Amino acid sequence: MPAVSRFIVLVEQGLPQRLLTWAVASLALLAGLAGMSGAHAAASIAADLQKALDAPSTPKANWARDINGARAVQAIVVSNSTDPKLTDLRAYVLANGGSVHALHPSMRALTVQVKASLVPTLALRSDVLSITPNRTTQRTASTLEAITGALASNVRSNSSKTSYTGYDGSGVGIAVLDSGVMAAHEGLMTPGAVSRVKRNVSMLGASQANWTAGVDSSTSLEPGSTALNVYEAQVANDNVVTQDPYGHGTHVAAVAAGRAALYASGTPDTTGIAPNASIYDVRVLNNLGLGTLSDAIEGIEWVIYHAKEYNIRVLNISLAANSTQTWQNDPLCIAVRSATAAGITVVVAAGNAGLNLLGLQTYGTISSPGSDPSVITVGAAHTHGTVSRSDDTVNMFSSRGPTRGSYIDASGSRVIDNLLKPDLVAPGNRIVSALASKANSASPTWNFLASTFGSLLVTPVGISQLYGESQMMLSGTSVSAPVVAGAAAVLLQVNPGLTPPLIKAILQYTAQPLPGYNLLEQGAGLINLSGAVALAKVLRTDLGSAISAGTISAGAAMLQSGAVMPAATSTLNGSSFNWSRIAFVGGNSLASGTSLFTKYQPIWDPRITWAGKVARKRDVVYWSGSGIAANTFPKSFNDVAAPNQALLTAGVVSANSLVGSSSKVGKTGVFIPNTTLSGWLISGSGSTLSQGVVLSEGVVLSEGVVLSEGVVLSEGVVLSEGVVLSEGVVLSEGVVLSEGVVFGEP
């Protein structure tokens, strides 16, 4: 294929949203009159929803519509009710002429349809935490094996299209929340021509958000019940002819777990990271790569419900939604936090908004749910067409941190999250992987992306396009995320006892810092699967079960008997490098030192989420009863303040004081080059904690790396008010699939 000098960004344009101060003040006043918390009322309504309520005419959004002359909206209502069925809240919506389209037990939430005029009153209810519009979601040897370290001797000592030896993700399930997966593609089969796509389900419309008024479509999916059987039959998508009409999900799945087709003609070898993992296709995007927040939540809940039954240990989310909400209230963030609490490692694309329309580098563009502290948020690296890591860079389009969600505190002030993201970067430029087509060898119609942008996407040099073997080329953080998802599957094969936060820490600690880039551009650095496997191998394999049972205490030994920490260096493709030795903890703190892995740190409990001064614990409530497998099928989740405890133990090294205050010009704080910080840590710098980090009376007694508001970046971008971060940019780095996020002021 001729060299591509440009790429296309597919983007849904939007406008910045404002949280109007007078609306906040009015809600706070009403809440006070009603005897409720002003902070609660002010924080309840998402900024974009509030703007729609105040608009003189109904906005052009998928979640707003005029019905019989009255403005109606569809929204996600997150509750703090102790009733998992949200009986009172559902009754209130119905009594006021609304509908309940879905009950989301993993997050104590409802998808509702209500008159716009009811929203302010609904927000004042004491059992309502937040109201969010049902926003649109959008997609955001083997070169991959060689670059990521999957071909290192301790991972896979050899690999070809017909054979390989070593770790390959066997026995681990990866769920792909996307546009569908073509189960008949040979790249997703075993050598015996059996598809590794174990289930195809479609959540499009599963939330029943169809603008029907006066109905309650929520249901209780008790194991073995008729309601569950009916629901599973409705979402089953295993036997349809075209399982991925858009084409994004199949490519993503094969990056994570694809195998170069045994009979594929020509080169290159397109083997993915975990080529024998099982795939679970959860379709939430339509033929054009669009979906709704509610359907995405339904898909996440399907994964949570079946995780133990199918051994789904990893969830890849290469899509995103526009959000200005704090991670604490954003519905997608809450959903992925439930998945993490259930033991699922959630990997999310960071977004493709690294440059604005003027071509200037832009910070603060991490999308939801990549803004949640519990997930692994992945940016995109550019390999420049080589397997050498010495020339790798961070793609210009890759979204940069910090997170910019916000909330209104008890005093009425806006507080911005400012969490460190992304967590790391992985190859995401011009990646060749599976092309989905109609599962009919006599008429293998290409997917929407391939047929629309064929000259840019398909027929890479050296590959013949044959049914069931066809390949296409994409760029973006949508492609980087499944690289890390496949790596997580490999780590779980190596050590099934690893927990989601521990997997993130291992991947960060062993990453390679790329010179010239800071913490907000590359996270801890470029993925190094060889180093991650070396570290995972020496850790106890019973950690997950011990944490779940509460039989391990802070500071307990984490290494296997007789094991020692591996050398903190790796050699890949003839080049040696030091590990970053950096791990993000507490949302905005930097930790290091071998004690992170030799002594048990309570933050490795996936039920604990710590960010800044906030620490929460999210417990799973399982279905029980006659004939129901114990501790298998989640029924609901309880979210409470984490109990008083140590979060980090003595002996952990803090790097917060090393980086200093944040200055873009001075390259300090969050803008410090990773190679500089890593070099200091290697030399022994940093503060060794004498008492650890302690949670007392619901407050974390520790300070993170501070990013002051109103910091003006050298490119003229202000990290505070009114910045429009759009993805409608023409670059020259490949074909990018946008996660479709346009941010305004939180």
Side-chain angles (χ1 to χ4, degrees), residues 177-438:
L177 197 79
D178 216 290
S179 63
V181 176
M182 178 186 173
H185 198 288
E186 291 186 17
L188 297 173
M189 291 186 178
T190 68
V194 176
S195 178
R196 289 182 288 112
V197 181
K198 303 298 184 182
R199 286 295 313 276
N200 297 85
V201 296
S202 175
M203 298 297 152
L204 297 180
S207 61
Q208 300 294 309
N210 53 15
W211 296 103
T212 303
V215 299
D216 184 349
S217 301
S218 62
T219 186
S220 178
L221 303 181
E222 181 177 358
S225 67
T226 300
L228 176 63
N229 293 335
V230 170
Y231 179 80
E232 291 292 345
Q234 289 175 341
V235 302
N237 207 41
D238 305 274
N239 299 315
V240 298
V241 175
T242 307
Q243 291 165 326
D244 183 14
Y246 183 67
H248 188 262
T250 300
H251 189 278
V252 164
V255 169
R259 179 85 185 278
L262 297 180
Y263 308 106
S265 303
T267 58
D269 184 336
T270 58
T271 299
I273 307 301
N276 203 38
S278 299
I279 297 294
Y280 292 86
D281 163 30
V282 184
R283 186 183 177 195
V284 296
L285 300 178
N286 65 16
N287 299 12
L288 300 177
L290 303 175
T292 67
L293 191 61
S294 185
D295 286 348
I297 292 169
E298 283 282 309
I300 295 170
E301 293 199 313
W302 185 91
V303 173
I304 292 172
Y305 188 89
H306 292 287
K308 288 196 174 182
E309 179 184 13
Y310 297 149
N311 198 36
I312 300 174
R313 301 292 306 274
V314 182
L315 169 60
N316 188 86
I317 302 180
S318 288
L319 55 82
N322 183 351
S323 178
T324 57
Q325 291 173 284
T326 173
W327 64 271
Q328 299 179 63
N329 291 340
D330 180 272
L332 267 183
C333 288
I334 296 173
V336 295
R337 208 149 60 244
S338 291
T340 301
I344 303 166
T345 298
V346 183
V347 183
V348 180
N352 299 327
L355 296 179
N356 66 12
L357 284 171
L358 299 177
L360 299 176
Q361 185 184 55
T362 309
Y363 285 81
T365 57
I366 300 295
S367 52
S368 168
S371 53
D372 191 83
S374 74
V375 305
I376 304 176
T377 306
V378 186
H382 195 326
T383 66
H384 297 279
T386 72
V387 297
S388 170
R389 295 167 68 101
S390 62
D391 61 351
D392 290 359
T393 58
V394 175
N395 273 308
M396 293 184 293
F397 61 73
S398 185
S399 286
R400 290 155 169 82
T403 67
R404 299 296 292 166
S406 65
Y407 63 95
I408 307 300
D409 67 13
S411 67
S413 300
R414 186 176 64 136
V415 180
I416 297 178
D417 291 335
N418 276 336
L419 305 184
L420 293 171
K421 289 287 182 173
D423 295 302
L424 71 161
V425 293
N429 198 80
R430 300 171 67 84
I431 302 299
V432 177
S433 191
L435 183 157
S437 64
K438 183 170 66 175

Side-chain angles (χ1 to χ4, degrees), residues 649-668:
T649 67
V652 171
V653 175
S654 171
N656 290 352
S657 60
L658 287 178
V659 301
S661 59
S662 295
S663 167
K664 179 69 167 61
V665 175
K667 296 184 178 181
T668 58

Side-chain angles (χ1 to χ4, degrees), residues 605-646:
D605 184 341
R607 298 167 295 186
I608 299 291
T609 303
W610 165 31
K613 296 291 186 182
V614 177
R616 307 289 299 179
K617 186 178 183 184
R618 199 164 186 82
D619 284 310
V620 188
V621 179
Y622 291 98
W623 282 98
S624 61
S626 177
I628 299 176
N631 299 319
T632 301
F633 299 103
K635 180 179 182 181
S636 62
F637 288 77
N638 292 324
D639 189 280
V640 298
N644 292 345
Q645 62 179 314

Side-chain angles (χ1 to χ4, degrees), residues 92 128 236 350:
Y92 178 81
V128 171

Side-chain angles (χ1 to χ4, degrees), residues 449-474:
L449 287 173
S451 59
T452 306
F453 306 107
S455 62
L456 295 176
L457 297 177
V458 299
T459 320
V461 174
I463 290 183
S464 300
Q465 299 291 52
L466 304 174
Y467 170 74
E469 302 176 15
S470 298
Q471 307 289 313
M472 60 190 278
M473 179 176 62
L474 297 178

